[in-house]
Amino acid sequence: MRMVDLIEKKRDGLVLTDEEIQFIIDGYIKDEIPDYQMSAWMMAVFFKGMTADETAALTMAMAQSGDQVDLSNIKGIKVDKHSTGGVGDTTTLILAPLVAAAGVPVAKMSGRGLGHTGGTIDKLEAVPGFHTEWPQQEFIEMVNKNKVAVVGQSGNFAPADKKMYGLRDVTATVNSIPLIASSIMSKKIAAGADAIVLDVKVGSGAFMKDINSARELAGAMVEIGEKVGRKTAAVISDMSQPLGYAVGNALEVKEAIDTLKGKGPADLHELCLVLGCKMVMLAGKAESEQEARTLLEEAITSGKALEVFKVFLSAQGGDASVVDYPEKLPDAEFKINVCSPADGFVEKIAADQIGMAAMLLGAGRATKDAVIDLGVGLVLHKKIGAKVKKGEVIATIHSQTDHIGLSEQKILQAYQFSSTKPNIIPLIKE
Ligand code: URA
Ligand code: CA
C-alpha cells in the first residue's frame, strides 16, 4: 500500500477499507507517513467525508494506537459520559456520585486540559487533600468498593488522535464531523467504557454553533458506538448561556454540592437528570426514562447521592466536610459586583465571553503548563429572561486582585438586554 494512492482515493470520494485506514494510522504513528501526506489526507476527508464504516474503523485504529484501559475487573456495565465542552459545566462532579448512588459504577478518567476553567480533575483538587493520581489497581478497588472514583489520566490514550489533532489545528481540518467524532470516541473507547453518554452542546459557548451540525456530530458518534459494540446515547443541550450560575473551579464544586443537595440551579439540575437517566438506562439499572428519573430524584431527596459524594471524596483523601462547610474551599480575596447598564430583560449571555472573563481572572489555562487559581471565577445572578433594573447586580467577580477591568468588560459585553421578555431557549434540544 502507498499513502499517495489512499490520498487520491479519498480525494476522489471513494470509500477506504478497514485495512487501508489501519495502514494510515499505523504508518502515521510510526512516523512512516509524514505530516504533509497526513494533512493532505485529512483535507480530503474534510471535503469528501467518510462513511459510518470508515469512521468506525478510524476510531478503532486510533483507540488501539496507545494504551487501552481494562475495566473488566469492575462489576457491572461501566458508563462514561462526555461533554463536547461548554462554560461553567459542572455536570461530571454531580453525575458521578448521582448515578453511582443509583448503582451504576463510575470509573472515570478525566483530563485537565485548556479552557475557561480547569477540567474535572482541577475542580476536584479544590477539595483540600483530594488526590487524583492513583495506580490502576487502587482505582479499580475504589470503584468496586464505593461505586465511584475519578482520577487523572495517566496512560497514553489514543496517541494517534493527539498527533492528528495537532496537525488538524494548523491545517484547517478541525471542523470535520468524522474527524471530530472519531477523535472523541477513540479516547472514550481507550478509557475502557462499555457504554457512553454524550452531551453535545450547541450555542455561543460551544464547539457546534448550530443545531444541524450538533445533530450531525451526535449522530456520527452514536453510529460509531453502535458499530464498535459500545452502547451510546446522545443529548443535544443548549450552551447559548453558561450552565448554572458559577464559572470557576471551587465555585463550581460548591454549585455541584448545592445541586446534590437538591438546591442547585434549575438548568444544571435538569441537565444532570437527563444525562443521568441515559447513564442509568445504558447500565441496565432502569427500564424506562421515568423509572430512571425517579431513581435519581430519590437519590437526591434522600441524601444518598450526597452521602456517596462524601465517601468518594474521603476515599481519595479529600476533606468531605467541605460538603457541610463549603467555606473550607479555596476562596478569592475580592468579591466585586458587576451592575446592569440598562433596564429591561436579559436577552443573551454570550457564554464564550463569560468563559473568557473567568479565564482572565486565572480560573483556566491558556497554555498547557499555566497554573490556575482554584478560588477565582464569577457568579452570574441574572440569566436569560430575568428582569433587571439599571444598576442592579448581574454578576459577582471573585478575584485575587481588584484590577478586574478586562473581566468586567467581557461580562458587560456578554450581556445583551431587551425591553421585552425574550423567548426562553429550551435547555434540552433533542
Ligand atoms: N474535541 C476532541 O476531542 N476532538 C476534536 O476533534 C474536537 C473536539
Ligand atoms: Ca456552572
Side-chain angles (χ1 to χ4, degrees), residues 108-127:
K108 188 143 185 78
M109 282 174 225
S110 271
R112 294 181 190 277
L114 306 179
H116 310 117
T117 64
T120 298
I121 287 296
D122 298 298
K123 291 175 193 171
L124 282 166
E125 281 178 352
V127 177

Side-chain angles (χ1 to χ4, degrees), residues 196-410:
I196 300 158
V197 173
L198 301 158
D199 177 15
V200 178
K201 310 273 194 194
V202 60
S204 62
F207 208 61
M208 295 287 136
K209 305 287 179 203
D210 66 90
I211 184 79
N212 288 330
S213 34
R215 195 179 284 141
E216 223 186 306
L217 178 61
M221 293 194 288
V222 169
E223 209 165 1
I224 292 171
E226 275 163 8
K227 285 195 182 290
V228 306
R230 307 295 205 282
K231 284 193 265 180
T232 305
V235 170
I236 299 177
S237 70
D238 180 56
M239 212 357 112
S240 62
Q241 62 178 336
L243 194 59
Y245 297 108
V247 184
N249 296 284
L251 288 168
E252 289 186 33
V253 173
K254 183 169 179 309
E255 189 164 68
I257 293 169
D258 289 342
T259 307
L260 285 166
K261 288 178 178 168
K263 296 185 292 194
D267 57 349
L268 182 59
H269 175 91
E270 179 58 19
L271 182 60
C272 287
L273 282 185
V274 169
L275 295 172
C277 281
K278 300 268 178 236
M279 294 174 80
V280 167
M281 285 175 64
L282 289 190
K285 297 286 177 190
E287 303 268 300
S288 66
E289 203 100 8
Q290 190 50 52
E291 189 188 339
R293 187 174 263 267
T294 306
L295 260 178
L296 296 176
E297 280 170 349
E298 276 172 13
I300 291 179
T301 49
S302 67
K304 188 168 175 203
L306 196 63
E307 198 47 46
V308 171
F309 188 58
K310 286 184 185 171
V311 169
F312 150 65
L313 292 181
S314 303
Q316 294 192 222
D319 178 0
S321 73
V322 296
V323 167
D324 301 307
Y325 303 97
E327 59 275 15
K328 291 186 177 178
L329 291 167
D331 196 7
E333 193 170 345
F334 295 90
K335 318 270 189 310
I336 302 162
N337 289 330
V338 179
C339 298
S340 175
D343 284 322
F345 294 90
V346 178
E347 187 184 25
K348 286 191 178 145
I349 310 175
D352 44 357
Q353 300 275 351
I354 295 291
M356 198 54 86
M359 178 116 152
L360 288 168
L361 293 165
R365 284 184 192 85
T367 61
K368 194 162 62 64
D369 301 315
V371 176
I372 60 179
D373 186 325
L374 296 169
V376 303
L378 54 98
V379 178
L380 307 179
H381 301 294
K382 302 287 178 185
K383 299 215 20 192
I384 294 177
K387 193 165 197 254
V388 290
K389 285 204 164 63
K390 189 174 174 179
E392 197 178 350
V393 178
I394 52 174
T396 303
I397 289 175
H398 293 233
S399 171
Q400 306 297 12
T401 88
D402 55 358
H403 300 287
I404 43 91
L406 259 182
S407 294
E408 182 177 27
Q409 200 183 325
K410 289 280 174 208

Side-chain angles (χ1 to χ4, degrees), residues 83-132:
S83 153
T84 64
V87 178
D89 187 343
T90 324
T91 50
T92 300
L93 289 183
I94 300 158
L95 278 170
L98 179 58
V99 304
V104 181
V106 179
K108 188 143 185 78
M109 282 174 225
S110 271
R112 294 181 190 277
L114 306 179
H116 310 117
T117 64
T120 298
I121 287 296
D122 298 298
K123 291 175 193 171
L124 282 166
E125 281 178 352
V127 177
F130 191 90
H131 283 288
T132 58

